[in-house]
Amino acid sequence: MALSDLPSVDQLLSSDSSARLVALYGRAPVTRALRAELDVARQNIRAGGSVPSTEAILSTTGDRLARESESSLQTVMNLTGTVLHTNLGRAPLPPEAIEAMARIAAQPSNLEYDLDSGRRGDRDTHIENLIVQITGAEAATVVNNNAAAVLLALNTLALGKEVVVSRGELIEIGGSFRIPDIMARAGCRLVEVGTTNRTHPADYERAIGKDTALIMKVHTSNYEIRGFTRSVSESELAALCQSRTIPLVTDLGSGTLVDLQRYGLPEEPTVQSALANGADLVTFSGDKLLGGPQAGIIAGKRELVAKMKANPLKRALRVDKLTLAALFEVLKLYRDPESLPRRLPALQLLSRPIESIKEAAGTVHPVLAKRLAGVANVTIEAAMSQVGSGSLPLDQLPSLALVIAPLDPSEAALQGLASAFRHLPTPVIGRVHDGKLLFDVRTLERPQEFNAQLSQLDVP
Ligand SMILES: *Cc1c(COP(=O)(O)O)cnc(C)c1O
């Protein structure tokens, strides 16, 4: 009975509210959403519910359309204490890079077109000179990420052959990048040498045979082996490789292009030093310590880079024009290392002075404590941030954290609190440690924005 009291789609579409929705979203999506809302209403009525008013149906239809047109990909506040967090998008880009991407995105470009000759060009030309200038490499090429760079290097130089790697360097990076798996997919045979904690030059020497294509050195980005250890340095390996005329390929992971110690940060090997130590090729990420867009850079000997450019896999792994536009602007900043901490957001966060962190913590603390009164105690405590993305593995950057200790000691209360922060308009992501929720303030750049949305926090 009641079902027949529901308005028809056509009746709903002829209303003024529908006209507004159609102007906003288009006729077909509005029609589809109205049908979906009528279905919901029918189910409710069958279950004993009442007939909704026309206004109610139009209002829920509007909500549905608004919800559906929101991207699930959104910005968040990363207060985890891991500055370059792989799951949270790694390096934030400088405005120059963002402007360059927008410019190149909107118009045709000479991406693969040589303006002098009027013929087809090579997309690497837009970036290769700058990489060469900064790193001192003979040549360079760029692919989609560092995993792709490693895959391309191995597949190009060692297909069907052996690659010698120390057992201490057979790493897994988060997100299923494992050296042995990449080797297999690249079509090479892994030859492990040494032990987990100690590898000697003689181990490499013994492993080199007629099927050896190269020696690979992998920067153990996300862990550290301490104690009774021995690894063979890049320069020792380079000398060995030279005497056997095979290349040395170094997977550096995060591409550090300046000595970070000048900014008060812990030491991290640079691309320049890897090349100077004799690596024939170095692979590294664009969005780790380099602070740019997701990309994998391969820099080194001209002849080897040329082979990689000629590999059909390069076509499958290539970067798009937006990445090239952004990467160029980021690399340009490296020409003036002095201004880098001001101009490169990733480095700005990593080298943020403790006074500035303290100020941000002080801005948030009273507001947060008041909002959580009766729910949790909030204190400011010393904390250690980490770089993240497998760079500088251990907690090394002194910082401050807002520490939220729920009055209800249950795990459910803690998780509920963490979830409430994750469901703010701009989700806030912290880390749970020792029964408390921690917000590392190093990466909180706009404390007022944090405070402003606290009124919408869904806690009792
Ligand atoms: C991070 C990392 C990779 C993978 O780089 P992506 O840019 O994430 O693909 C490979 N090797 C090492 C040593 C790394 O640290």
Side-chain angles (χ1 to χ4, degrees):
M1 281 300 236
L3 286 180
S4 60
D5 294 338
L6 277 174
S8 70
V9 172
D10 282 341
Q11 278 165 347
L12 289 166
L13 270 176
S14 63
S15 73
D16 284 349
S17 322
S18 278
R20 271 196 302 278
L21 292 176
V22 168
L24 213 54
Y25 300 105
R27 192 167 187 86
V30 173
T31 308
R32 192 173 30 73
L34 285 170
R35 288 215 172 93
E37 285 304 320
L38 284 172
D39 278 345
V40 172
R42 272 185 215 106
Q43 276 166 26
N44 282 340
I45 294 167
R46 284 198 197 99
S50 56
V51 180
S53 67
T54 300
E55 293 73 48
I57 296 173
L58 287 166
S59 158
T60 53
T61 301
D63 293 346
R64 174 186 287 266
L65 286 161
R67 208 168 49 236
E68 285 175 356
S69 54
E70 244 170 49
S71 172
S72 67
L73 183 61
Q74 56 177 324
T75 58
V76 303
M77 291 190 191
N78 167 21
L79 305 186
T80 58
T82 301
V83 178
L84 302 171
H85 199 301
T86 296
N87 304 143
L88 303 179
R90 290 194 186 160
L93 292 179
E96 297 90 329
I98 295 160
E99 281 153 27
M101 280 195 289
R103 199 167 55 242
I104 291 301
Q107 306 280 342
S109 61
N110 62 340
L111 177 63
E112 287 188 354
Y113 186 80
D114 182 346
L115 292 172
D116 289 331
S117 68
R119 299 218 179 108
R120 182 165 203 266
D122 169 9
R123 63 179 66 202
D124 281 340
T125 55
H126 304 293
I127 199 105
E128 186 168 1
N129 282 344
L130 194 49
I131 300 173
V132 162
Q133 222 181 71
I134 294 169
T135 62
E138 288 175 11
T141 185
V142 182
V143 287
N144 189 43
N145 52 32
N146 188 36
V150 173
L151 178 71
L152 182 61
L154 291 173
N155 178 269
T156 306
L157 305 178
L159 183 61
K161 297 174 97 181
E162 292 175 354
V163 174
V164 182
V165 186
S166 159
R167 287 200 170 90
E169 299 172 1
L170 293 175
I171 54 162
E172 173 179 319
I173 310 279
S176 73
F177 176 87
R178 294 171 138 196
I179 291 292
D181 296 347
I182 288 276
M183 289 265 175
R185 291 291 170 157
C188 1
R189 288 196 303 282
L190 169 64
V191 177
E192 303 175 19
V193 297
T195 61
T196 303
N197 59 328
R198 288 173 74 83
T199 304
H200 303 269
D203 295 326
Y204 286 99
E205 280 168 34
R206 271 197 302 274
I208 297 174
K210 63 174 184 7
D211 282 341
T212 307
L214 58 94
I215 290 182
M216 184 160 154
K217 186 153 180 71
V218 185
H219 184 48
T220 53
S221 323
N222 52 1
Y223 72 100
E224 217 174 77
I225 298 177
R226 288 191 181 181
F228 187 54
T229 63
R230 167 80 161 100
S231 62
V232 184
S233 73
E234 224 150 31
S235 34
E236 284 175 276
L237 283 181
L240 176 61
C241 283
Q242 217 158 29
S243 72
R244 305 292 186 96
T245 56
I246 51 171
L248 173 63
V249 175
T250 296
D251 175 17
L252 206 52
S254 77
T256 312
L257 296 174
V258 278
D259 179 2
L260 293 175
Q261 293 176 98
R262 68 180 287 167
Y263 311 114
L265 293 169
E267 185 180 9
E268 174 82 353
T270 61
V271 176
Q272 292 90 330
S273 66
L275 290 166
N277 288 337
D280 296 291
L281 278 183
V282 181
T283 68
F284 52 101
S285 291
D287 56 352
K288 292 184 179 173
L289 276 169
L290 196 152
Q294 179 188 305
I297 302 173
I298 310 173
K301 293 272 156 62
R302 184 172 293 110
E303 173 212 340
L304 301 180
V305 171
K307 279 189 188 160
M308 278 179 293
K309 289 187 184 191
N311 184 334
L313 261 187
K314 168 72 194 331
R315 171 66 176 75
L317 302 173
R318 73 184 184 187
V319 282
D320 77 325
K321 59 191 177 182
L322 304 185
T323 302
L324 286 172
L327 188 56
F328 181 83
E329 295 301 325
V330 170
L331 287 172
K332 235 167 61 181
L333 299 180
Y334 279 89
R335 294 196 296 203
D336 178 21
E338 200 145 334
S339 66
L340 204 57
R342 263 187 296 114
R343 302 182 66 186
L344 190 66
L347 189 56
Q348 190 168 27
L349 290 173
L350 291 169
S351 62
R352 187 174 181 184
I354 195 78
E355 301 78 51
S356 159
I357 298 174
K358 199 169 174 177
E359 194 183 317
T363 305
V364 165
H365 181 255
V367 185
L368 184 61
K370 188 162 167 228
R371 180 68 192 90
L372 293 179
V375 178
N377 288 325
V378 185
T379 49
I380 300 175
E381 287 173 30
M384 290 299 242
S385 322
Q386 49 186 345
V387 177
S389 290
S391 328
L392 304 161
L394 309 171
D395 292 341
Q396 302 196 56
L397 310 171
S399 180
L400 293 172
L402 294 155
V403 178
I404 303 173
L407 302 182
D408 174 351
S410 71
E411 178 67 18
L414 182 63
Q415 293 303 335
L417 207 51
S419 167
F421 279 98
R422 289 199 306 271
H423 288 88
L424 284 168
T426 302
V428 176
I429 323 284
R431 73 170 185 269
V432 165
H433 178 69
D434 207 9
K436 294 171 187 141
L437 177 59
L438 270 64
F439 291 145
D440 190 314
V441 186
R442 168 177 297 278
T443 43
L444 181 60
E445 294 182 278
R446 289 174 298 279
Q448 304 294 359
E449 265 176 44
F450 179 98
N451 286 350
Q453 58 169 359
L454 280 181
S455 58
Q456 295 177 67
L457 189 70
D458 185 17
V459 292

PDB file of all heavy atoms in Angstrom, residues 92-94 96 289-292 329-331 333-334 339-351:
ATOM      1  N   PRO A  92      56.400  15.821   0.895  1.00  0.00           N
ATOM      2  CA  PRO A  92      55.563  16.910   0.375  1.00  0.00           C
ATOM      3  C   PRO A  92      56.386  17.725  -0.611  1.00  0.00           C
ATOM      4  O   PRO A  92      57.592  17.860  -0.443  1.00  0.00           O
ATOM      5  CB  PRO A  92      55.224  17.732   1.622  1.00  0.00           C
ATOM      6  CG  PRO A  92      56.249  17.376   2.652  1.00  0.00           C
ATOM      7  CD  PRO A  92      56.892  16.077   2.261  1.00  0.00           C
ATOM      8  N   LEU A  93      55.748  18.242  -1.651  1.00  0.00           N
ATOM      9  CA  LEU A  93      56.508  18.938  -2.702  1.00  0.00           C
ATOM     10  C   LEU A  93      56.557  20.443  -2.473  1.00  0.00           C
ATOM     11  O   LEU A  93      55.626  21.025  -1.923  1.00  0.00           O
ATOM     12  CB  LEU A  93      55.867  18.664  -4.064  1.00  0.00           C
ATOM     13  CG  LEU A  93      55.957  17.239  -4.588  1.00  0.00           C
ATOM     14  CD1 LEU A  93      55.248  17.131  -5.929  1.00  0.00           C
ATOM     15  CD2 LEU A  93      57.413  16.802  -4.721  1.00  0.00           C
ATOM     16  N   PRO A  94      57.630  21.089  -2.935  1.00  0.00           N
ATOM     17  CA  PRO A  94      57.708  22.549  -2.852  1.00  0.00           C
ATOM     18  C   PRO A  94      56.763  23.190  -3.870  1.00  0.00           C
ATOM     19  O   PRO A  94      56.437  22.577  -4.883  1.00  0.00           O
ATOM     20  CB  PRO A  94      59.168  22.845  -3.196  1.00  0.00           C
ATOM     21  CG  PRO A  94      59.628  21.673  -3.978  1.00  0.00           C
ATOM     22  CD  PRO A  94      58.820  20.490  -3.531  1.00  0.00           C
ATOM     23  N   GLU A  96      57.203  25.359  -6.166  1.00  0.00           N
ATOM     24  CA  GLU A  96      57.714  25.434  -7.552  1.00  0.00           C
ATOM     25  C   GLU A  96      57.349  24.171  -8.332  1.00  0.00           C
ATOM     26  O   GLU A  96      56.992  24.224  -9.509  1.00  0.00           O
ATOM     27  CB  GLU A  96      59.243  25.550  -7.572  1.00  0.00           C
ATOM     28  CG  GLU A  96      59.824  26.779  -6.936  1.00  0.00           C
ATOM     29  CD  GLU A  96      60.120  26.600  -5.451  1.00  0.00           C
ATOM     30  OE1 GLU A  96      59.399  25.832  -4.780  1.00  0.00           O
ATOM     31  OE2 GLU A  96      61.063  27.239  -4.962  1.00  0.00           O
ATOM     32  N   LEU A 289      64.611  10.857   0.805  1.00  0.00           N
ATOM     33  CA  LEU A 289      65.349  12.024   1.300  1.00  0.00           C
ATOM     34  C   LEU A 289      65.565  13.100   0.236  1.00  0.00           C
ATOM     35  O   LEU A 289      65.798  14.256   0.551  1.00  0.00           O
ATOM     36  CB  LEU A 289      66.698  11.589   1.889  1.00  0.00           C
ATOM     37  CG  LEU A 289      66.616  11.116   3.346  1.00  0.00           C
ATOM     38  CD1 LEU A 289      67.912  10.449   3.770  1.00  0.00           C
ATOM     39  CD2 LEU A 289      66.301  12.278   4.284  1.00  0.00           C
ATOM     40  N   LEU A 290      65.476  12.720  -1.015  1.00  0.00           N
ATOM     41  CA  LEU A 290      65.626  13.716  -2.079  1.00  0.00           C
ATOM     42  C   LEU A 290      64.503  14.761  -1.989  1.00  0.00           C
ATOM     43  O   LEU A 290      64.672  15.910  -2.360  1.00  0.00           O
ATOM     44  CB  LEU A 290      65.632  13.012  -3.433  1.00  0.00           C
ATOM     45  CG  LEU A 290      66.143  13.773  -4.649  1.00  0.00           C
ATOM     46  CD1 LEU A 290      66.720  12.812  -5.675  1.00  0.00           C
ATOM     47  CD2 LEU A 290      65.076  14.632  -5.299  1.00  0.00           C
ATOM     48  N   GLY A 291      63.329  14.312  -1.530  1.00  0.00           N
ATOM     49  CA  GLY A 291      62.248  15.268  -1.268  1.00  0.00           C
ATOM     50  C   GLY A 291      61.411  15.640  -2.477  1.00  0.00           C
ATOM     51  O   GLY A 291      60.739  16.670  -2.483  1.00  0.00           O
ATOM     52  N   GLY A 292      61.425  14.816  -3.508  1.00  0.00           N
ATOM     53  CA  GLY A 292      60.693  15.134  -4.736  1.00  0.00           C
ATOM     54  C   GLY A 292      59.512  14.211  -4.963  1.00  0.00           C
ATOM     55  O   GLY A 292      58.986  13.617  -4.034  1.00  0.00           O
ATOM     56  N   GLU A 329      62.160  20.789 -10.898  1.00  0.00           N
ATOM     57  CA  GLU A 329      62.118  21.926  -9.963  1.00  0.00           C
ATOM     58  C   GLU A 329      62.760  21.562  -8.619  1.00  0.00           C
ATOM     59  O   GLU A 329      63.431  22.386  -8.008  1.00  0.00           O
ATOM     60  CB  GLU A 329      60.673  22.391  -9.739  1.00  0.00           C
ATOM     61  CG  GLU A 329      60.006  22.950 -10.982  1.00  0.00           C
ATOM     62  CD  GLU A 329      60.751  24.145 -11.577  1.00  0.00           C
ATOM     63  OE1 GLU A 329      61.316  24.942 -10.808  1.00  0.00           O
ATOM     64  OE2 GLU A 329      60.773  24.269 -12.822  1.00  0.00           O
ATOM     65  N   VAL A 330      62.546  20.338  -8.190  1.00  0.00           N
ATOM     66  CA  VAL A 330      63.134  19.907  -6.908  1.00  0.00           C
ATOM     67  C   VAL A 330      64.654  19.811  -7.042  1.00  0.00           C
ATOM     68  O   VAL A 330      65.402  20.308  -6.186  1.00  0.00           O
ATOM     69  CB  VAL A 330      62.523  18.567  -6.443  1.00  0.00           C
ATOM     70  CG1 VAL A 330      63.294  17.996  -5.271  1.00  0.00           C
ATOM     71  CG2 VAL A 330      61.056  18.766  -6.067  1.00  0.00           C
ATOM     72  N   LEU A 331      65.114  19.208  -8.123  1.00  0.00           N
ATOM     73  CA  LEU A 331      66.572  19.066  -8.318  1.00  0.00           C
ATOM     74  C   LEU A 331      67.241  20.436  -8.413  1.00  0.00           C
ATOM     75  O   LEU A 331      68.354  20.627  -7.917  1.00  0.00           O
ATOM     76  CB  LEU A 331      66.862  18.244  -9.573  1.00  0.00           C
ATOM     77  CG  LEU A 331      66.579  16.739  -9.457  1.00  0.00           C
ATOM     78  CD1 LEU A 331      66.727  16.067 -10.815  1.00  0.00           C
ATOM     79  CD2 LEU A 331      67.494  16.077  -8.435  1.00  0.00           C
ATOM     80  N   LEU A 333      66.633  23.021  -6.810  1.00  0.00           N
ATOM     81  CA  LEU A 333      66.872  23.587  -5.475  1.00  0.00           C
ATOM     82  C   LEU A 333      68.216  23.137  -4.914  1.00  0.00           C
ATOM     83  O   LEU A 333      68.801  23.820  -4.076  1.00  0.00           O
ATOM     84  CB  LEU A 333      65.753  23.180  -4.512  1.00  0.00           C
ATOM     85  CG  LEU A 333      64.335  23.624  -4.870  1.00  0.00           C
ATOM     86  CD1 LEU A 333      63.344  23.130  -3.819  1.00  0.00           C
ATOM     87  CD2 LEU A 333      64.260  25.140  -4.989  1.00  0.00           C
ATOM     88  N   TYR A 334      68.693  21.983  -5.381  1.00  0.00           N
ATOM     89  CA  TYR A 334      69.958  21.446  -4.864  1.00  0.00           C
ATOM     90  C   TYR A 334      71.176  22.232  -5.338  1.00  0.00           C
ATOM     91  O   TYR A 334      72.276  22.043  -4.845  1.00  0.00           O
ATOM     92  CB  TYR A 334      70.113  19.969  -5.252  1.00  0.00           C
ATOM     93  CG  TYR A 334      69.343  19.067  -4.314  1.00  0.00           C
ATOM     94  CD1 TYR A 334      68.021  18.741  -4.559  1.00  0.00           C
ATOM     95  CD2 TYR A 334      69.951  18.567  -3.165  1.00  0.00           C
ATOM     96  CE1 TYR A 334      67.315  17.932  -3.690  1.00  0.00           C
ATOM     97  CE2 TYR A 334      69.248  17.755  -2.293  1.00  0.00           C
ATOM     98  CZ  TYR A 334      67.938  17.451  -2.561  1.00  0.00           C
ATOM     99  OH  TYR A 334      67.247  16.653  -1.686  1.00  0.00           O
ATOM    100  N   SER A 339      70.136  27.323   0.834  1.00  0.00           N
ATOM    101  CA  SER A 339      68.720  27.690   0.980  1.00  0.00           C
ATOM    102  C   SER A 339      67.810  26.456   1.015  1.00  0.00           C
ATOM    103  O   SER A 339      66.595  26.577   1.173  1.00  0.00           O
ATOM    104  CB  SER A 339      68.294  28.608  -0.168  1.00  0.00           C
ATOM    105  OG  SER A 339      68.337  27.898  -1.388  1.00  0.00           O
ATOM    106  N   LEU A 340      68.404  25.278   0.863  1.00  0.00           N
ATOM    107  CA  LEU A 340      67.609  24.049   0.750  1.00  0.00           C
ATOM    108  C   LEU A 340      66.652  23.797   1.924  1.00  0.00           C
ATOM    109  O   LEU A 340      65.481  23.474   1.698  1.00  0.00           O
ATOM    110  CB  LEU A 340      68.557  22.857   0.559  1.00  0.00           C
ATOM    111  CG  LEU A 340      67.979  21.618  -0.139  1.00  0.00           C
ATOM    112  CD1 LEU A 340      67.426  21.935  -1.503  1.00  0.00           C
ATOM    113  CD2 LEU A 340      69.037  20.529  -0.226  1.00  0.00           C
ATOM    114  N   PRO A 341      67.095  23.952   3.192  1.00  0.00           N
ATOM    115  CA  PRO A 341      66.169  23.668   4.299  1.00  0.00           C
ATOM    116  C   PRO A 341      64.974  24.623   4.331  1.00  0.00           C
ATOM    117  O   PRO A 341      63.951  24.302   4.908  1.00  0.00           O
ATOM    118  CB  PRO A 341      67.013  23.871   5.561  1.00  0.00           C
ATOM    119  CG  PRO A 341      68.414  23.955   5.113  1.00  0.00           C
ATOM    120  CD  PRO A 341      68.417  24.348   3.677  1.00  0.00           C
ATOM    121  N   ARG A 342      65.112  25.795   3.728  1.00  0.00           N
ATOM    122  CA  ARG A 342      63.990  26.730   3.661  1.00  0.00           C
ATOM    123  C   ARG A 342      63.064  26.371   2.520  1.00  0.00           C
ATOM    124  O   ARG A 342      61.857  26.589   2.587  1.00  0.00           O
ATOM    125  CB  ARG A 342      64.505  28.155   3.441  1.00  0.00           C
ATOM    126  CG  ARG A 342      64.631  28.975   4.718  1.00  0.00           C
ATOM    127  CD  ARG A 342      64.981  30.414   4.418  1.00  0.00           C
ATOM    128  NE  ARG A 342      66.289  30.565   3.786  1.00  0.00           N
ATOM    129  CZ  ARG A 342      66.491  31.001   2.546  1.00  0.00           C
ATOM    130  NH1 ARG A 342      65.479  31.345   1.791  1.00  0.00           N
ATOM    131  NH2 ARG A 342      67.709  31.092   2.061  1.00  0.00           N
ATOM    132  N   ARG A 343      63.627  25.834   1.446  1.00  0.00           N
ATOM    133  CA  ARG A 343      62.841  25.699   0.214  1.00  0.00           C
ATOM    134  C   ARG A 343      62.335  24.291  -0.062  1.00  0.00           C
ATOM    135  O   ARG A 343      61.404  24.114  -0.848  1.00  0.00           O
ATOM    136  CB  ARG A 343      63.677  26.210  -0.962  1.00  0.00           C
ATOM    137  CG  ARG A 343      64.089  27.670  -0.737  1.00  0.00           C
ATOM    138  CD  ARG A 343      64.875  28.220  -1.877  1.00  0.00           C
ATOM    139  NE  ARG A 343      64.081  28.327  -3.105  1.00  0.00           N
ATOM    140  CZ  ARG A 343      64.575  28.679  -4.267  1.00  0.00           C
ATOM    141  NH1 ARG A 343      65.861  28.937  -4.371  1.00  0.00           N
ATOM    142  NH2 ARG A 343      63.818  28.759  -5.316  1.00  0.00           N
ATOM    143  N   LEU A 344      62.951  23.292   0.559  1.00  0.00           N
ATOM    144  CA  LEU A 344      62.523  21.909   0.319  1.00  0.00           C
ATOM    145  C   LEU A 344      61.736  21.419   1.547  1.00  0.00           C
ATOM    146  O   LEU A 344      62.310  21.209   2.609  1.00  0.00           O
ATOM    147  CB  LEU A 344      63.749  21.025   0.076  1.00  0.00           C
ATOM    148  CG  LEU A 344      63.475  19.616  -0.421  1.00  0.00           C
ATOM    149  CD1 LEU A 344      62.870  19.635  -1.821  1.00  0.00           C
ATOM    150  CD2 LEU A 344      64.744  18.769  -0.410  1.00  0.00           C
ATOM    151  N   PRO A 345      60.403  21.242   1.407  1.00  0.00           N
ATOM    152  CA  PRO A 345      59.587  20.917   2.578  1.00  0.00           C
ATOM    153  C   PRO A 345      60.083  19.700   3.369  1.00  0.00           C
ATOM    154  O   PRO A 345      60.060  19.724   4.605  1.00  0.00           O
ATOM    155  CB  PRO A 345      58.201  20.651   1.974  1.00  0.00           C
ATOM    156  CG  PRO A 345      58.179  21.454   0.719  1.00  0.00           C
ATOM    157  CD  PRO A 345      59.591  21.439   0.186  1.00  0.00           C
ATOM    158  N   ALA A 346      60.521  18.662   2.688  1.00  0.00           N
ATOM    159  CA  ALA A 346      60.968  17.462   3.405  1.00  0.00           C
ATOM    160  C   ALA A 346      62.130  17.808   4.340  1.00  0.00           C
ATOM    161  O   ALA A 346      62.152  17.419   5.512  1.00  0.00           O
ATOM    162  CB  ALA A 346      61.385  16.375   2.414  1.00  0.00           C
ATOM    163  N   LEU A 347      63.083  18.563   3.820  1.00  0.00           N
ATOM    164  CA  LEU A 347      64.254  18.919   4.624  1.00  0.00           C
ATOM    165  C   LEU A 347      63.889  19.931   5.712  1.00  0.00           C
ATOM    166  O   LEU A 347      64.441  19.919   6.818  1.00  0.00           O
ATOM    167  CB  LEU A 347      65.356  19.476   3.714  1.00  0.00           C
ATOM    168  CG  LEU A 347      66.711  19.683   4.363  1.00  0.00           C
ATOM    169  CD1 LEU A 347      67.219  18.399   4.999  1.00  0.00           C
ATOM    170  CD2 LEU A 347      67.716  20.202   3.350  1.00  0.00           C
ATOM    171  N   GLN A 348      62.934  20.777   5.393  1.00  0.00           N
ATOM    172  CA  GLN A 348      62.450  21.746   6.372  1.00  0.00           C
ATOM    173  C   GLN A 348      61.901  21.008   7.595  1.00  0.00           C
ATOM    174  O   GLN A 348      62.194  21.368   8.739  1.00  0.00           O
ATOM    175  CB  GLN A 348      61.357  22.592   5.726  1.00  0.00           C
ATOM    176  CG  GLN A 348      60.940  23.773   6.562  1.00  0.00           C
ATOM    177  CD  GLN A 348      60.075  24.740   5.760  1.00  0.00           C
ATOM    178  OE1 GLN A 348      59.401  24.333   4.804  1.00  0.00           O
ATOM    179  NE2 GLN A 348      60.099  25.996   6.121  1.00  0.00           N
ATOM    180  N   LEU A 349      61.121  19.967   7.358  1.00  0.00           N
ATOM    181  CA  LEU A 349      60.558  19.188   8.470  1.00  0.00           C
ATOM    182  C   LEU A 349      61.651  18.449   9.223  1.00  0.00           C
ATOM    183  O   LEU A 349      61.664  18.399  10.456  1.00  0.00           O
ATOM    184  CB  LEU A 349      59.526  18.189   7.944  1.00  0.00           C
ATOM    185  CG  LEU A 349      58.221  18.784   7.414  1.00  0.00           C
ATOM    186  CD1 LEU A 349      57.367  17.704   6.780  1.00  0.00           C
ATOM    187  CD2 LEU A 349      57.459  19.492   8.530  1.00  0.00           C
ATOM    188  N   LEU A 350      62.580  17.858   8.465  1.00  0.00           N
ATOM    189  CA  LEU A 350      63.626  17.055   9.109  1.00  0.00           C
ATOM    190  C   LEU A 350      64.558  17.915   9.948  1.00  0.00           C
ATOM    191  O   LEU A 350      65.091  17.459  10.959  1.00  0.00           O
ATOM    192  CB  LEU A 350      64.426  16.290   8.043  1.00  0.00           C
ATOM    193  CG  LEU A 350      63.661  15.168   7.342  1.00  0.00           C
ATOM    194  CD1 LEU A 350      64.423  14.655   6.141  1.00  0.00           C
ATOM    195  CD2 LEU A 350      63.368  14.034   8.310  1.00  0.00           C
ATOM    196  N   SER A 351      64.754  19.165   9.522  1.00  0.00           N
ATOM    197  CA  SER A 351      65.704  20.013  10.242  1.00  0.00           C
ATOM    198  C   SER A 351      64.974  21.060  11.097  1.00  0.00           C
ATOM    199  O   SER A 351      65.575  22.034  11.538  1.00  0.00           O
ATOM    200  CB  SER A 351      66.643  20.709   9.243  1.00  0.00           C
ATOM    201  OG  SER A 351      65.902  21.553   8.385  1.00  0.00           O
TER     202      SER A 351
END
